[in-house]
Amino acid sequence: MKKNQAFSKLPSVDKILSNPRIEDLINCYPRKLILESIREKINQKREEIIFLDEKDIDSFDIKEEDLISDIINCVKDKFELSIKKVVNGTGVILHTNLGRSRLSPKIKDELINIAFGYSNLEYDLSEGQRGSRYDHLVEIIKELTGAEDVLVVNNNAAAVLLVLDTLARDGEIIVSRGELVEVGGSFRISSIMELGSGKLVEVGSTNKTHIRDYKKAFNENTKAIMKVHTSNYKILGFTESVEIDQLKQEEEFRELPIIEDLGSGVFIDLSKYGLSYEPTVIDSIKKGADVVTFSGDKMLGGPQAGIIVGKKKYIKKMKKNQLTRALRVDKMTIAALEATLRIYLDEKDAIENIPTLKMITCKLEELDKKADLLLHKILNLNIDAAVEKQKDVSQVGGGSMPLEKLDTYTIAIKPNKFSVSYLEKTLRNSESHIIGRINEDKYILDVRTIEENEFDFIIKELKKVFN
Ligand SMILES: *Cc1c(COP(=O)(O)O)cnc(C)c1O
């Protein structure tokens, strides 16, 4: 047989279009995508023939039904969303790559209502005239933080930028060298600060900064002092830093705004739940910070947002900055944040119903029970693998509480007939997109970040891999 004969086995586009399985597809997917996929798959076959060895030509054949299946998968892949729900089995609660905080199921209806309908986003219902989108969040955040005023922007990096651009324009900002953190994805706080029109003046050394360092750097161009909560690393041992209340006591800093970037802002003192103390927004305000910035989707457990709280005169100035328009939040963010914050009015409710807080404070006995349940389900599958429950540690993640060791239980799976990396890859690419990790040649799933209602996805996919 010659290559010409092999080419003649390629079906025509029309022939494929008349296949009943493809005809079914036309009712559910755009025709353009189907045609594109048919051409793509036929071209792949054509290339296969081009690169075929002489000796393989005779045995070359095209199984039409296999080609049809390929085309159907191709259409589905093209049509499916690129962003997908995954099962987080990593035990990292604020996993930046996996979307940081999960929103509370309690706010679902409200969020859908606002997203799918018109709303009073910028409309004052009592006056019947234009209102401000920022007003919706002011009262609740004032209530929860004790601050005078509030402004919410797109994320915390944007909050830092807006604060410095507004308060330190054409002047200098003093910041301790030990607090210049990199926040992941190689974004440095210092670079964000320099995007504003102020100049950064670093004082002190990596491990020690004294009040005299701030005083020495202070001059007539100084516009602000910035404190950054080093939420993603800790310098231990021989260290010293200056607290906000100390800075506030200095006569010469009286007129300066003292700004604190908290990063992961928390409203609840987590030391009450057996964790180490993480500075709360309320404490920063009490210590005298004039402006405090923090993320909506780190430990707060809400949507991505940058929350700015502080003195009215400073926030008022920020609202007039043209940057605010560029950094403004969307109605879905406002709805999700307001609804999440309302849960905080009752602390017990917040711990139980905000997934991020619930996962951080989850007790070991509860995780033990949860792991037993998953273990039992997996053992019932009778798969050809060693399966066991193990003690391990989870992480808060998202650059928060880096030293916190959260004791947990994991399920470890070691397949007998294929590699652990094959198992990891297959579960990751499965319909449920299960993300686990490999440790000591075992596949590990941490139950802390997995919902019980996701166990059945794991069981279904394990069944498929092992069959
Ligand atoms: C995470 C973090 C940021 C950036 O916050 P985003 O909401 O991710 O923009 C800024 N500062 C500190 C200290 C942080 O930890």
Side-chain angles (χ1 to χ4, degrees):
M1 189 166 76
K2 293 267 163 46
K3 281 210 175 171
N4 280 350
Q5 283 168 293
F7 283 127
S8 71
K9 288 185 180 173
L10 289 170
S12 70
V13 173
D14 283 340
K15 175 142 187 276
I16 291 181
L17 275 174
S18 65
N19 181 292
R21 287 163 71 204
I22 296 290
E23 278 179 339
D24 282 349
L25 225 52
I26 289 172
N27 298 324
C28 316
Y29 299 94
R31 196 180 159 84
K32 183 172 169 287
L33 275 192
I34 299 172
L35 279 171
E36 236 174 68
S37 306
I38 295 174
R39 295 203 178 104
E40 213 173 292
K41 291 295 155 189
I42 293 180
N43 275 337
Q44 263 179 23
K45 285 284 166 208
R46 185 170 290 126
E47 303 232 324
E48 251 179 63
I49 299 171
I50 292 172
F51 293 104
L52 215 55
D53 278 343
E54 286 294 323
K55 63 176 171 40
D56 296 325
I57 288 185
D58 283 336
S59 58
F60 180 81
D61 201 11
I62 293 173
K63 293 199 186 70
E64 188 160 319
E65 282 311 305
D66 289 352
L67 182 63
I68 298 289
S69 299
D70 273 359
I71 292 167
I72 292 172
N73 286 336
C74 180
V75 172
K76 285 183 176 166
D77 275 354
K78 280 183 200 282
F79 198 66
E80 219 180 76
L81 289 191
S82 164
I83 186 160
K84 303 176 207 304
K85 186 193 170 327
V86 305
V87 175
N88 177 8
T90 65
V92 182
I93 299 165
L94 298 173
H95 200 305
T96 305
N97 302 153
L98 304 184
R100 279 200 194 158
S101 270
R102 280 172 42 207
L103 295 177
S104 170
K106 262 193 136 172
I107 72 169
K108 204 171 186 173
D109 290 346
E110 284 151 325
L111 195 50
I112 289 173
N113 248 341
I114 300 304
F116 289 86
Y118 289 113
S119 61
N120 62 340
L121 178 66
E122 289 190 354
Y123 187 71
D124 184 331
L125 285 172
S126 58
E127 300 293 326
Q129 61 190 32
R130 196 196 156 103
S132 160
R133 72 175 58 217
Y134 301 105
D135 286 351
H136 304 288
L137 295 161
V138 173
E139 288 313 314
I140 183 98
I141 298 178
K142 274 164 69 175
E143 165 90 23
L144 294 168
T145 62
E148 277 181 18
D149 206 358
V150 176
L151 180 60
V152 178
V153 290
N154 190 45
N155 59 14
N156 192 29
V160 172
L161 173 65
L162 178 62
V163 168
L164 294 179
D165 186 74
T166 308
L167 300 183
R169 178 157 291 186
D170 305 322
E172 296 177 359
I173 310 136
I174 307 177
V175 64
S176 159
R177 198 161 270 129
E179 296 174 4
L180 287 170
V181 292
E182 181 166 310
V183 289
S186 78
F187 283 103
R188 296 213 169 112
I189 284 293
S190 57
S191 317
I192 296 165
M193 289 161 99
E194 278 162 355
L195 284 176
S197 40
K199 180 170 166 275
L200 211 63
V201 179
E202 298 171 27
V203 298
S205 61
T206 309
N207 59 332
K208 280 200 170 196
T209 303
H210 307 275
I211 191 84
R212 61 170 185 272
D213 296 320
Y214 286 95
K215 283 175 142 179
K216 218 163 78 190
F218 177 74
N219 63 49
E220 71 275 10
N221 293 326
T222 306
K223 292 281 179 78
I225 295 178
M226 174 103 179
K227 293 275 301 165
V228 183
H229 174 50
T230 56
S231 57
N232 58 359
Y233 72 102
K234 274 225 157 54
I235 300 173
L236 299 174
F238 195 55
T239 66
E240 191 167 324
S241 61
V242 181
E243 289 295 314
I244 288 171
D245 32 10
Q246 270 176 283
L247 291 168
K248 288 306 283 185
Q249 277 165 22
E250 293 299 320
E251 192 55 36
E252 55 207 293
F253 299 159
R254 233 204 163 105
E255 298 298 313
L256 285 184
I258 311 284
I259 303 159
E260 181 164 48
D261 175 21
L262 271 183
S264 198
V266 289
F267 286 171
I268 294 173
D269 176 5
L270 291 170
S271 63
K272 282 193 276 183
Y273 300 88
L275 295 130
S276 40
Y277 171 77
E278 177 76 10
T280 65
V281 181
I282 302 145
D283 287 352
S284 290
I285 297 285
K286 272 192 194 149
K287 280 187 184 165
D290 297 296
V291 175
V292 182
T293 61
F294 52 99
S295 281
D297 60 344
K298 286 188 181 170
M299 300 237 279
L300 209 62
Q304 177 189 302
I307 304 170
I308 308 168
V309 298
K311 298 268 161 66
K312 219 178 182 79
K313 63 172 176 181
Y314 297 129
I315 303 269
K316 201 170 154 195
K317 238 176 130 183
M318 289 173 214
K319 284 186 181 163
K320 289 191 185 139
N321 189 330
Q322 288 297 316
L323 263 181
T324 302
R325 177 63 171 79
L327 306 175
R328 79 176 186 185
V329 276
D330 164 58
K331 61 174 179 281
M332 286 202 275
T333 305
I334 294 174
L337 189 57
E338 190 184 4
T340 303
L341 292 172
R342 210 187 41 208
I343 305 176
Y344 274 96
L345 292 173
D346 178 351
E347 183 172 315
K348 189 168 157 275
D349 197 13
I351 294 285
E352 280 169 15
N353 289 302
I354 294 176
T356 299
L357 291 179
K358 191 177 173 197
M359 286 186 274
I360 292 176
T361 57
C362 191
K363 295 219 171 61
L364 190 60
E365 307 96 78
E366 233 171 284
L367 294 165
D368 191 13
K369 270 193 238 156
K370 207 168 155 187
D372 278 338
L373 187 66
L374 181 58
L375 180 70
H376 185 73
K377 281 179 185 256
I378 296 176
L379 289 177
N380 273 347
L381 286 176
N382 270 319
I383 54 176
D384 191 5
V387 185
E388 58 184 346
K389 186 175 79 174
Q390 290 186 337
K391 252 193 136 164
D392 208 326
V393 283
S394 326
Q395 285 168 33
V396 176
S400 308
M401 308 181 93
L403 299 183
E404 199 70 38
K405 287 208 161 48
L406 303 170
D407 286 326
T408 190
Y409 282 99
T410 62
I411 301 300
I413 305 173
K414 184 166 171 46
N416 293 328
K417 296 271 163 60
F418 49 85
S419 71
V420 173
S421 60
Y422 174 79
L423 177 63
E424 186 277 331
K425 191 175 156 202
T426 312
L427 291 176
R428 173 159 44 88
N429 289 307
S430 71
E431 231 172 274
S432 310
H433 302 287
I434 298 158
I435 316 290
R437 62 193 159 86
I438 294 173
N439 191 26
E440 292 175 353
D441 207 30
K442 287 176 198 158
Y443 180 73
I444 310 284
L445 287 172
D446 186 334
V447 294
R448 185 187 293 268
T449 47
I450 307 174
E451 287 287 283
E452 255 177 57
N453 63 23
E454 291 171 329
F455 284 179
D456 287 340
F457 299 140
I458 296 173
I459 297 304
K460 189 178 95 194
E461 301 301 349
L462 280 176
K463 215 189 254 175
K464 276 197 230 162
V465 196
F466 281 91
N467 283 340

